[in-house]
Amino acid sequence: MALPDKEIYTEDDYYNLPATVRAELIDGKIYYLAAPSRIHQKISSELYTFINNYIKSKGGACEAYYAPFAVKLWENRNTIVEPDISVICDAGKLTDKGCTGAPDWIIEIISPSNPGDDYVRKLNLYMDAGVWEYWIVDPRTESILVYCLEQTNFQVEKYTFNDKIKAGIYNDLYIDFAELDF
């Protein structure tokens, strides 16, 4: 069930959507999300499991979450996104509804129906919000773009599904995409 047409939607509108409706609220506009593909879910599951197991093994303060998980990037801006994977290292950002403030690390897996959302819209949102590390995983091209925030801009490195990639938020976390099962 979609919301009635409005110029600007609010956080209340977002949280009043039926539980069966997946959407994001970006600058007061609702963007409905299609169900993810099987490969999208497989990649998300593999990455989340690897990252979560690593965090648990280190006893670290960070916590990993997978979509749907609401991330309210700013307190005073009608923007709530649902990254595929979010890693939050400041427990003060976690709420009963999700996360308020920028996660330390976000991973988005490209969906064929809306690649521009992750490559453009969310890239700019995450940079503006101060997300320290942002990965874009594209199953179609078997590539990964790793963006790391340097002061106010992202620096980018490109990898493939054959590469071993170091996660910037930990000194010894490497994800070998060639060893993941997807």
Side-chain angles (χ1 to χ4, degrees):
M1 177 173 109
L3 290 171
D5 284 336
K6 289 171 69 172
E7 292 274 328
I8 301 288
Y9 294 95
T10 66
E11 181 178 347
D12 288 339
D13 293 323
Y14 171 83
Y15 284 114
N16 285 320
L17 284 166
T20 57
V21 174
R22 290 198 57 231
E24 294 179 314
L25 174 67
I26 300 176
D27 292 326
K29 184 173 179 185
I30 293 286
Y31 293 88
Y32 293 98
L33 304 173
S37 67
R38 184 197 62 77
I39 190 65
H40 181 285
Q41 288 299 87
K42 185 72 171 164
I43 292 169
S44 180
S45 175
E46 288 286 313
L47 288 173
Y48 169 78
T49 300
F50 188 91
I51 293 164
N52 195 49
N53 287 341
Y54 171 87
I55 292 170
K56 284 182 175 184
S57 76
K58 296 296 181 179
C62 299
E63 293 187 35
Y65 294 90
Y66 54 88
F69 179 74
V71 174
K72 182 178 175 181
L73 291 170
W74 296 275
E75 188 62 47
N76 60 350
R77 193 165 150 187
N78 288 319
T79 299
I80 301 171
V81 293
E82 292 186 2
D84 291 310
I85 299 172
S86 302
V87 177
I88 298 100
C89 298
D90 178 354
K93 293 180 179 180
L94 296 172
T95 69
D96 288 342
K97 291 184 176 183
C99 174
T100 298
D104 297 272
W105 181 16
I106 287 177
I107 299 175
E108 294 281 10
I109 300 153
I110 296 296
S111 296
S113 62
N114 61 350
D117 283 353
D118 297 324
Y119 281 115
V120 180
R121 182 181 299 125
K122 288 186 181 176
L123 173 68
N124 289 311
L125 279 175
Y126 296 157
M127 182 175 61
D128 290 346
V131 172
W132 193 77
E133 188 167 358
Y134 173 44
W135 291 18
I136 300 175
V137 179
D138 192 335
R140 298 167 306 156
T141 61
E142 296 188 355
S143 64
I144 304 100
L145 294 176
V146 174
Y147 293 88
C148 290
L149 193 59
E150 299 285 335
Q151 295 179 12
T152 58
N153 293 307
F154 275 133
Q155 300 300 314
V156 65
E157 297 281 336
K158 185 173 182 176
Y159 300 93
T160 72
F161 280 20
N162 295 316
D163 292 324
K164 187 176 190 177
I165 305 171
K166 183 183 181 311
I169 68 169
Y170 285 102
N171 290 331
D172 62 348
L173 173 56
Y174 291 85
I175 299 176
D176 190 341
F177 274 73
E179 290 184 3
L180 296 176
D181 183 24
F182 45 77

